Amino acid sequence: MGNMMAKAMEENFEKNKKFMVEMQAAQLERQIHMQDQMRLRMHATQVARAREMFFWWAAFYGISLAGAIAAVRKTKKRTPLLPFFPLTFIVAYQADLAYGTKLGRIRAEAESIMGCEEELLEQPCGVPTANVIDAARQRYLDEKRYTTKVHDMYA
């Protein structure tokens, strides 16, 4: 009788273990998809921000250029046009970022770095371990406890 009960418990344990592994896999997959969705939303926000900034730069550039051209016609001196040389590069950069292929080139460069220059991506002191995190947490709690007592003493 005890052997039959042990066998039933063993089968139940194995079913439960399999179920837990499946649930963990599903949860991990959901987390991966959630992080990818968040990444896509952040990326879309960055593109939208670049486009909004381009509108401001382009408006500033157009209004300033019209004013500078009017000043050139009035004074017959070309010095008001000098600031537009570097400003043209800024507006062109922003346009490339907002509507061009800049983001694709950035992605390609990032993939190149990840593939060929992995040493640039290493974290200082390596990846933190659970022991390092626990030790830092314990130090924080100790400091908090000691500083709280000191403050209470003088209160």
Side-chain angles (χ1 to χ4, degrees):
M1 178 112 179
N3 189 23
M4 197 164 78
M5 207 147 160
K7 186 176 180 183
M9 285 179 64
E10 182 81 22
E11 288 175 4
N12 195 15
F13 177 74
E14 288 299 320
K15 286 180 185 177
N16 203 9
K17 185 177 175 183
K18 184 179 176 185
F19 175 74
M20 293 291 283
V21 168
E22 289 173 2
M23 289 303 294
Q24 287 175 346
Q27 184 179 10
L28 180 61
E29 187 175 336
R30 283 187 190 115
Q31 287 177 350
I32 290 169
H33 284 291
M34 182 187 68
Q35 287 178 352
D36 190 51
Q37 285 293 315
M38 295 303 293
R39 183 191 60 79
L40 289 173
R41 291 175 187 196
M42 292 292 289
H43 191 142
T45 302
Q46 288 176 338
V47 171
R49 181 177 287 141
R51 289 180 179 179
E52 178 68 18
M53 190 64 158
F54 171 69
F55 290 141
W56 284 94
W57 275 112
F60 172 74
Y61 184 80
I63 293 168
S64 300
L65 185 60
I69 290 172
V72 166
R73 285 186 180 170
K74 192 172 195 177
T75 63
K76 305 293 186 206
K77 294 180 182 177
R78 295 186 180 194
T79 54
L81 293 175
L82 287 177
F84 288 93
F85 182 70
L87 193 57
T88 302
F89 285 101
I90 293 171
V91 172
Y93 176 88
Q94 197 67 37
D96 188 27
L97 181 63
Y99 293 102
T101 59
K102 180 130 190 91
L103 291 174
R105 293 191 310 269
I106 290 171
R107 183 180 303 117
E109 183 64 24
E111 288 173 357
S112 171
I113 290 169
M114 289 177 75
C116 302
E117 301 176 62
E118 291 179 7
E119 67 277 359
L120 296 176
L121 305 176
E122 291 177 9
Q123 296 224 354
C125 301
V127 177
T129 63
N131 292 337
V132 171
I133 293 169
D134 288 340
R137 186 176 154 266
Q138 189 61 45
R139 275 195 313 273
Y140 171 76
L141 291 174
D142 289 344
E143 288 175 9
K144 186 177 176 183
R145 186 176 58 217
Y146 293 138
T147 57
T148 302
K149 287 184 179 180
V150 170
H151 291 299
D152 289 344
M153 189 176 5
Y154 294 112

